[in-house]
């Protein structure tokens, strides 16, 4: 069985990409498992490469990477041989994307020192530009090479949880904080172009995040307003939307979402 070991967000080697990665470096400066290296694999040109390695359990995969590359447009490369490009119509006048008000540099400035962990990264692919067959092929390929789970309430939001090689062959039964970052796929009925999403755990309360990102800079989603605040960020790449989901400070110990238990036991594995 092939194992999904790396999920890499590839960015064109251009000034706007270097700026984005540099801001991401600053944003995740307090995340213990975020490693920033130069293109040769050694600490050097800041912003060339960012690697997020799951802290728990030992040897869990996949790792998540952000890297400058010789690509014409941003894409997500999976080391199983698949990739997810920018699907959809960047020129449509009917887009249902969230209106972005915040620059990446401004997001980083406001959140400095407040981001503790990365819950997940993900990609929303527009259903209008992605056939059911394409979606099925993508999820089937991922599920065959990773521990992927259904979203328990029935939406097309499957999640890949980092796992060991033994868990890939069997299943996840050890529910610990630190099995992150996860990777989410969304078959999005509202968007007309691809969206990248980044969910971050912060040490801020809901009231503090509402004050930091008031409407229309920040919004909430129905039924998820008690969990995180959404901040769309102005994208430097036409045809790609970017949003950050800022999770509120955990008050009462780890939940079954943080440990992955809810996805595993209630959602069930996709094989």
């Amino acid at each position: 069985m092939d194992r999904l070991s790396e999920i890499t967000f590839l960015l064109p080697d251009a000034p706007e990409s270097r700026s984005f990665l540099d801001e991401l470096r600053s944003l995740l400066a307090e995340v213990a498992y975020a490693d920033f290296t130069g293109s040769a694999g050694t600490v050097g040109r800041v912003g060339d490469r960012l690697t997020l390695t799951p802290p728990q359990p030992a040897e869990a995969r996949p790792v998540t990477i952000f890297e400058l590359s010789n690509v014409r447009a941003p894409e997500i490369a999976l080391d199983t041989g698949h990739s997810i490009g920018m699907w959809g119509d960047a020129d449509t006048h009917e887009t249902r994307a969230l209106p972005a008000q915040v620059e990446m540099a401004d997001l980083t400035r406001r959140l400095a020192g407040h981001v503790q962990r990365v819950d997940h990264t993900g990609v929303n692919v527009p259903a209008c530009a992605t056939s059911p067959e394409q979606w099925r092929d993508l999820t089937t390929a991922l599920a065959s090479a990773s521990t992927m789970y259904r979203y328990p309430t029935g939406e097309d939001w499957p999640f890949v949880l980092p796992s060991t090689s033994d868990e890939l062959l069997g299943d996840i039964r050890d529910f610990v904080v630190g099995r992150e970052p996860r990777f989410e796929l969304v078959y999005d009925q509202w968007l007309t172009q691809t969206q990248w999403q980044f969910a971050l755990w912060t040490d801020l309360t809901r009231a503090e995040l509402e004050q930091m990102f008031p409407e229309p800079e920040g919004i909430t989603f129905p039924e998820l307003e008690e969990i995180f605040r959404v901040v769309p960020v102005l994208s430097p790449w036409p045809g790609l939307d970017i949003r950050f989901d800022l999770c509120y400070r955990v008050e009462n110990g780890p939940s079954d979402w943080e440990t992955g238990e809810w996805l595993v036991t209630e959602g069930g594995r996709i094989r």
Side-chain angles (χ1 to χ4, degrees):
M1 177 187 295
D2 290 335
R3 183 185 183 188
L4 177 66
S5 295
E6 295 182 358
I7 298 172
T8 305
F9 290 74
L10 296 175
L11 303 177
D13 192 352
E16 60 269 21
S17 299
R18 290 187 178 277
S19 177
F20 181 85
L21 281 181
D22 192 45
E23 293 299 339
L24 199 58
R25 175 191 65 82
S26 298
L27 185 64
L28 303 184
E30 304 299 320
V31 176
Y33 49 84
D35 178 54
F36 308 93
T37 58
S39 56
T42 58
V43 175
R45 292 161 50 193
V46 171
D48 277 5
R49 182 182 174 97
L50 180 156
T51 302
L52 301 172
T53 302
Q56 294 289 341
E59 304 300 323
R61 294 293 182 271
V63 299
T64 300
I65 298 168
F66 299 84
E67 187 173 59
L68 298 178
S69 179
N70 185 27
V71 293
R72 296 181 61 185
E75 66 178 63
I76 300 173
L78 312 174
D79 66 347
T80 54
H82 298 81
S83 64
I84 307 170
M86 288 164 49
W87 299 350
D89 183 1
D91 298 320
T92 182
H93 296 291
E94 299 177 358
T95 182
R96 298 294 295 274
L98 302 173
Q101 306 277 337
V102 179
E103 295 274 2
M104 182 67 181
D106 196 17
L107 179 89
T108 299
R109 179 185 59 79
R110 296 191 213 181
L111 287 173
H114 292 295
V115 176
Q116 300 178 315
R117 294 158 37 209
V118 181
D119 183 78
H120 68 269
T121 66
V123 58
N124 294 38
V125 298
C128 66
T130 311
S131 70
E133 291 76 22
Q134 287 176 299
W135 171 253
R136 184 175 62 250
D137 289 347
L138 176 60
T139 55
T140 298
L142 266 176
S144 69
S146 68
T147 41
M148 174 183 268
Y149 297 88
R150 300 175 186 86
Y151 196 75
T153 53
E155 293 87 351
D156 281 330
W157 305 344
F159 276 83
V160 172
L161 271 68
S163 60
T164 66
S165 55
D166 288 342
E167 290 171 333
L168 176 62
L169 294 174
D171 204 358
I172 293 175
R173 297 181 177 86
D174 186 18
F175 303 117
V176 294
V177 174
R179 197 185 288 272
E180 59 193 26
R182 313 161 197 212
F183 181 69
E184 181 183 14
L185 280 173
V186 175
Y187 195 47
D188 203 308
Q189 303 293 332
W190 297 98
L191 295 180
T192 55
Q193 62 186 38
T194 300
Q195 180 184 78
W196 286 358
Q197 53 160 304
F198 307 105
L200 310 177
W201 288 102
T202 77
D203 63 359
L204 299 168
T205 65
R206 178 177 179 178
E208 288 171 330
L209 279 168
E210 287 175 344
Q211 183 177 20
M212 186 176 290
F213 297 100
E215 292 187 14
E217 292 181 334
I219 62 170
T220 56
F221 289 156
E223 300 182 10
L224 297 171
E225 62 271 8
E226 298 295 330
I227 303 172
F228 60 83
R229 190 159 187 81
V230 181
V231 180
V233 168
L234 291 165
S235 172
W237 303 286
L240 178 66
D241 296 324
I242 298 174
R243 88 170 201 245
F244 284 82
D245 297 344
L246 306 177
C247 301
Y248 312 136
R249 183 172 70 210
V250 176
E251 301 286 358
N252 299 311
S255 66
D256 58 359
W257 171 261
E258 288 181 82
T259 63
E261 184 174 5
W262 187 63
L263 285 170
V264 173
T265 60
E266 300 297 326
R269 187 166 171 182
I270 304 172
R271 294 182 182 268

